[in-house]
């Protein structure tokens, strides 16, 4: 559906799990839109609103004062995949394709383009909507930082800040009580939050999905620290981490979600095993959604604003089916289909990983 003439009407939605910086992107899109002579439609609750036809016009006044606010003023959902729409029938969940409703609403609102802010799930949906002829522009968000096409996603820095602060606080209590404290962090199948948060917060052991760990090696590190007179240890474990030969720990499977698997629980498993294997009193803290809530860091506010402002520029230039991306210090754009080709995982040659090893942090391998 190529936009004829100038691009006049833009939809914007936030899909998947929220994170700090979403409002800054919405503001970054809406404020410049007026200068381009565009009207912005905020679609409510992510793809759910796109299927169900729920949207409202956004004006400068609506986005004033939201730069520092966490969450999203538009609402979001991780259950609204139009191609995989869950319908409950007599307690059974059945899946329908509601993509025709998306096309219908897009046309009914006379949209020339749609800016979708989201993670890999959202970008996969965007790619399929491009296939239906919709003019989509993607903006990459996720605390997990697992999108290969951009150096970093907004939200990640804010989550790392929360992990760092938590580790700083847990340090003093672990040290006072001579305990081991295990901190479980999010990140899905990528270890970026654990690696960066653990490094910044001075964790002694970091366990990530990319490096299956051995229990012996974890116990050894704790004993070594004791031999050096350090009677406490901090372990930062990613929710997707697993022991060698073991499985990832899943909290629940929910067919209604875009990604049916909800991870969580490895922190308790690690804490119990450490207490059993070392005899040291061990506690666990699960940071959970604290990592997604609250105000974005300055880095995330700047990146989100740049992403929003560049997305509207792409729309004005009619560069569709592309995602904005940070490359070095510049905002570029990449094809959405290329952006979803690979997940970004922590590699052995990652410099943060190498530096962490050099300062004595164990990865349990
Ligand atoms: O993708 C972001 C994320 O916070 C993951 O790190 C985590 O596994 C998942 O979302 C949690 O999802 P929910 O909020 O649906 O429990």
């Amino acid at each position: 559906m190529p936009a004829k003439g100038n691009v006049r009407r833009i939809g914007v939605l936030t899909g998947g799990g929220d994170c700090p910086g979403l409002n800054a992107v919405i503001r970054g899109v809406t404020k410049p839109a007026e200068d381009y002579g565009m009207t912005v439609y905020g679609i409510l609750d992510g793809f759910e609103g796109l299927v169900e036809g729920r949207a409202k016009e956004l004006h400068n006044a609506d986005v004033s004062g939201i730069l520092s606010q966490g969450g999203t003023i538009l609402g979001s959902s991780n259950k609204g995949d139009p191609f995989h729409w869950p319908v409950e029938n007599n307690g059974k969940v059945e899946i329908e394709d509601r993509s025709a409703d998306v096309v219908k609403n897009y046309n009914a609102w006379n949209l020339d383009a749609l800016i979708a802010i989201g993670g890999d799930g959202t970008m996969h949906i965007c790619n399929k909507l491009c296939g239906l002829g919709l003019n989509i522009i993607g903006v990459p968000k996720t605390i997990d930082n697992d999108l290969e096409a951009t150096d970093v996603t907004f939200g990640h820095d804010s989550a790392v800040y929360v992990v760092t602060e938590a580790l700083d606080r847990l340090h003093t209590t672990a040290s006072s009580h001579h305990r081991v404290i295990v901190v479980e962090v999010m990140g899905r199948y990528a270890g970026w939050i654990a690696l960066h948060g653990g490094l910044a917060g001075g964790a002694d052991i970091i366990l990530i999905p990319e490096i299956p760990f051995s229990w012996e090696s974890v116990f050894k590190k704790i004993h070594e620290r004791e031999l050096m007179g350090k009677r406490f240890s901090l372990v930062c474990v990613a929710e997707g981490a697993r022991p060698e030969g073991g499985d990832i720990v899943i909290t629940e499977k929910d067919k209604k979600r875009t990604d049916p698997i909800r991870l969580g629980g490895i922190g308790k498993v690690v804490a119990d095993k450490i207490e059993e294997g070392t005899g040291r009193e061990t506690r666990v803290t699960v940071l959970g959604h604290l990592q997604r809530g609250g105000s974005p860091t300055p880095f995330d506010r700047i990146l989100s604003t740049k992403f929003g402002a560049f997305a509207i520029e792409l729309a004005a230039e009619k560069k569709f089916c592309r995602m904005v991306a940070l490359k070095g210090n510049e905002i570029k754009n990449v094809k959405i289909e290329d952006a979803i080709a690979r997940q970004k995982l922590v590699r052995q040659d990652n410099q943060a990983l190498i530096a962490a090893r050099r300062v004595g942090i164990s990865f349990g391998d």
Side-chain angles (χ1 to χ4, degrees), residues 78 142-144 186-188 239 257 262-263 289 292:
N78 50 20
T142 166
I143 61 166
D144 305 337
M186 285 183 164
R188 289 213 308 161
E239 61 181 359
R257 296 163 55 98
R262 198 149 75 82
L263 298 177
H289 292 81
R292 293 228 308 253

Side-chain angles (χ1 to χ4, degrees), residues 33-302:
E34 209 171 86
D35 293 337
Y36 285 105
M38 295 175 187
T39 305
V40 178
Y41 288 86
I43 290 146
L44 304 178
D45 301 331
F47 290 102
E48 276 186 24
L50 195 56
V51 169
E52 293 169 349
R54 292 184 285 118
K56 62 174 183 191
E57 259 188 48
L58 286 181
H59 300 282
N60 276 0
D62 299 305
V63 298
S64 177
I66 66 168
L67 172 64
S68 59
Q69 272 176 32
T72 159
I73 58 163
L74 295 175
S76 194
S77 166
N78 50 20
K79 292 186 178 152
D81 181 348
F83 300 91
H84 194 89
W85 185 266
V87 184
E88 206 153 342
N89 251 339
N90 296 326
K92 253 188 85 187
V93 178
E94 281 160 17
I95 302 300
E96 288 179 0
D97 182 348
R98 296 282 301 271
S99 54
D101 291 313
V102 169
V103 178
K104 195 180 83 195
N105 289 325
Y106 182 97
N107 288 331
W109 290 324
N110 280 320
L111 295 184
D112 296 309
L114 172 65
I115 296 177
I117 312 165
D120 61 341
T122 296
M123 294 308 143
H124 274 91
I125 296 169
C126 287
N127 193 40
K128 290 188 193 165
L129 293 177
C130 285
L132 297 182
L134 267 53
N135 297 329
I136 308 283
I137 291 161
V139 178
K141 72 89 225 200
T142 166
I143 61 166
D144 305 337
N145 194 33
D146 57 355
L147 280 170
E148 180 75 46
T150 181
D151 288 353
V152 67
T153 49
F154 72 86
H156 179 64
D157 189 61
S158 302
V160 167
Y161 183 84
V162 172
V163 175
T164 306
E165 208 202 349
L167 284 168
D168 284 350
R169 287 175 185 275
L170 292 169
H171 225 106
T172 56
T173 170
S175 153
S176 306
H177 284 266
H178 316 301
R179 283 173 172 160
V180 177
I181 297 194
V182 176
V183 184
E184 180 184 309
V185 303
M186 285 183 164
R188 289 213 308 161
Y189 306 105
W192 296 108
I193 298 177
L195 173 63
H196 291 150
L199 188 51
D204 306 298
I205 300 172
I206 299 175
L207 304 176
I208 59 175
E210 294 85 345
I211 306 177
F213 58 91
S214 101
W215 292 115
E216 282 316 313
S217 160
V218 171
F219 304 158
K220 189 165 156 253
K221 177 69 185 173
I222 293 166
H223 286 312
E224 275 171 11
R225 282 178 52 76
E226 288 191 356
L227 291 176
M228 292 185 323
K230 297 186 173 169
R231 296 169 60 203
F232 72 96
S233 290
L234 286 177
V235 183
C236 184
V237 56
E239 61 181 359
R242 62 184 172 86
E244 283 165 359
D247 286 327
I248 49 169
V249 183
I250 292 170
T251 300
E252 67 162 0
K253 285 190 184 172
D254 179 355
K255 270 177 83 176
K256 290 186 194 159
R257 296 163 55 98
T258 305
D259 176 357
I261 291 178
R262 198 149 75 82
L263 298 177
I266 183 71
K268 168 100 173 71
V269 173
V270 170
D272 287 351
K273 200 83 178 176
I274 287 177
E275 195 157 274
E276 193 187 303
T278 64
R280 298 293 166 263
E281 196 176 25
T282 306
R283 295 285 188 268
V284 61
T285 298
V286 180
L287 290 182
H289 292 81
L290 283 175
Q291 296 158 97
R292 293 228 308 253
S295 198
T297 57
F299 177 88
D300 278 337
R301 293 180 197 193
I302 295 167

